[in-house]
Amino acid sequence: MKRTTIPFGPQHPVLPEPLVLDLILEDEKVIDAIPTIGYIHRGLEALVESVEYTEFGYVVERICGICSFMHGMGYAVAMEEIMAVEVPERARWLRLIWAEMSRIHSHLLWLGLGADAFGFENLFMHCWRTREEVLDIFEKTTGGRIIFSVNRIGGVRRDISDTELAAIVTKLQQLGASFTETARIFETDPSIRHRLSGVGILSREDAHAVDAVGPMARASGIRMDTRLTGTHLYDRLDFEPVLETAGDCLARVVVRVREISQSIDLIRQAVDRMPKAEGAPIEVKVRGLPTGEVFERLEQPRGEVVYYIKANGTKYLERFRARTPTFANIPAMIKLVKGCDLADVPNIIMTIDPCISCTER
Amino acid sequence: MANPFNLPMMGRSLRNLLSRPATRRYPSEVRPHFAGTRGTLEFDLDTCVFCGLCARRCPTVALTCSREDRFFAIEQLRCIACGVCIDLCNKDSLRMSEDAPHVHLHTGAAPGDPRPGHQEWHQQPPDGSPPVPGDAAGGTATAAV
Ligand code: SF4
Ligand code: SF4
């Protein structure tokens, strides 16, 4: 049969960021997809050679507008490891709380975009309205809505008072309660099920083979989450990752929907279990120049991110590298797109939650 | 096949139809900023001692400070509102206002000036040289915002 090549992207209504897939079709079936990235490469990793290590955190935050807290945290944690800095406990708890809040706002953002992609604009608005309340909490506590500038090597720059922490938990629990209705729509609405159920199935074996990470892997039944390693104080919380076994687009949506409630619960646990030590130190002064290299892993909303930093004893780091979750999930996406209908391609691409800014840096 | 009469969104949609909008009628109704929001950097000429600490440590090189010329300048378009300079200043000469930064539409203070968002302050030296007329603070501020 004659083959047609259809360019998908870089401008496409469903894509928030530029990604190109050359789709090779036979009739309506996609038989191959050739990805191209590089449209928004900004050379942030190379900037490490000309920006001092103390200031590079502000660059790392700008890798991505959604995971900006996690990127800032990852860089700070990695540098602290290289420089053998003991971070005050309160700062570590605050980082955990902000990190889980980032997960909530990222998943809400994605659910909105996902709803828009499968033609449910009303639901899109609901998700973003809910997300706005999380951003308000961020603005109250860090001073910024998207770029927080609150991580610093050696701790965090702003404290949250204990009463405010309690208020945040109450607020998030109310938000979670009002979100259950939206969550139910995602899980039960017949048009959503019709559009997503059984589409783009990634089996457990395939997910292993292509090294899927994050909600993508968890929707295929793989119990994989960097938070399980217990680093960054997650060992003090009761945590069990949300798993689904179907591996289709709907399962990926459901995993993210449930992770929102889970993150709210993790924040509640964190506030319960952190020492009530308002006014305790939240940062330590860091002196000297870093030497050595380090790998650091974090669970971002989209999956596991890996940072590699090499320092050579000068003000400038020798190498900074971030392997972002979307980069790890692109092979899975290509695998899913092959063999599907052209009309399902947007949904499959959306359900990996692509963040191209992160991927290209 | 799912039941087509199961419409979990319907109740919510009908309620929305009858309830107030969730959005504000911006710009007539503006949400106030929270205390501590990082908005625009502001400078106080009277307290600054021109030590230059802030300018040295600003990650985006948005500040210029000269002790000899008693001169201070902010490039608002370079500033990323990180607040590092505010934490460093011992004299509380810098603060962050909660208002969102201006949109710098002008291309400069004067036609041909290529520095949108540039603000500068000059302090008259306390050596008896004549103060600038009409300026009680003994300094001048030029702003191109
Ligand atoms: S640190 Fe404060 S006193 Fe020193 S130059 Fe900057 S604003 Fe002036
Ligand atoms: S707020 Fe940050 S970027 Fe802006 S002038 Fe101060 S140090 Fe520089």
Side-chain angles (χ1 to χ4, degrees), chain A residues 6 25 31 53 56 61 83 112-113 133 136 175 197 263 346 358:
Chain A
I6 294 191
L25 304 181
I31 58 162
Y53 79 92
F56 192 65
E61 276 193 321
M83 303 180 77
L113 290 178
E133 296 175 22
D136 282 353
L175 181 152
S197 168
S263 289
C358 278

Side-chain angles (χ1 to χ4, degrees), chain B residues 43 48-52 54 65 72 89 91 93-94:
Chain B
F43 173 68
C48 177
V49 294
F50 301 95
C51 65
C54 54
C65 172
F72 195 90
C89 180
K91 299 284 167 194
S93 305
L94 289 162

Side-chain angles (χ1 to χ4, degrees), chain A residues 234-308:
Chain A
Y234 281 102
D235 51 346
R236 312 252 194 111
L237 306 179
D238 302 324
F239 169 72
E240 184 53 42
V242 178
L243 291 186
E244 280 287 314
T245 47
D248 57 359
C249 288
L250 187 66
R252 294 192 275 279
V253 173
V254 169
V255 165
R256 294 196 178 94
V257 166
R258 299 207 179 132
E259 280 190 1
I260 292 177
S261 335
Q262 187 189 41
S263 289
I264 294 174
D265 189 56
L266 287 177
I267 294 175
R268 179 193 59 76
Q269 290 183 33
V271 172
D272 280 353
R273 297 183 191 183
M274 70 192 277
K276 301 280 164 288
E278 201 177 321
I282 48 167
E283 61 173 323
V284 287
K285 278 260 175 294
V286 176
R287 294 224 161 71
L289 296 168
T291 320
E293 55 185 342
V294 71
F295 271 103
E296 186 59 54
R297 300 157 72 201
L298 280 187
E299 185 73 15
Q300 278 189 346
R302 290 168 183 71
E304 180 184 9
V305 62
V306 184
Y307 298 96
Y308 168 70

Side-chain angles (χ1 to χ4, degrees), chain A residues 126 136 139 148 157 181, chain B residues 6 12 15 31 38 82:
Chain A
H126 279 294
D136 282 353
E139 186 179 340
F148 309 116
R157 291 176 47 197
E181 190 183 359
Chain B
N6 171 18
R12 170 70 75 93
R15 258 185 289 135
R31 191 206 68 174
R38 291 179 285 115
C82 65

Side-chain angles (χ1 to χ4, degrees), chain B residues 41 54 57-63 74 78-86 94 96:
Chain B
L41 187 66
C54 54
R57 296 281 294 279
C58 168
T60 58
V61 208
L63 304 176
I74 305 178
R78 291 191 76 113
C79 173
I80 54 171
C82 65
V84 166
C85 52
I86 301 171
L94 289 162
M96 196 69 84

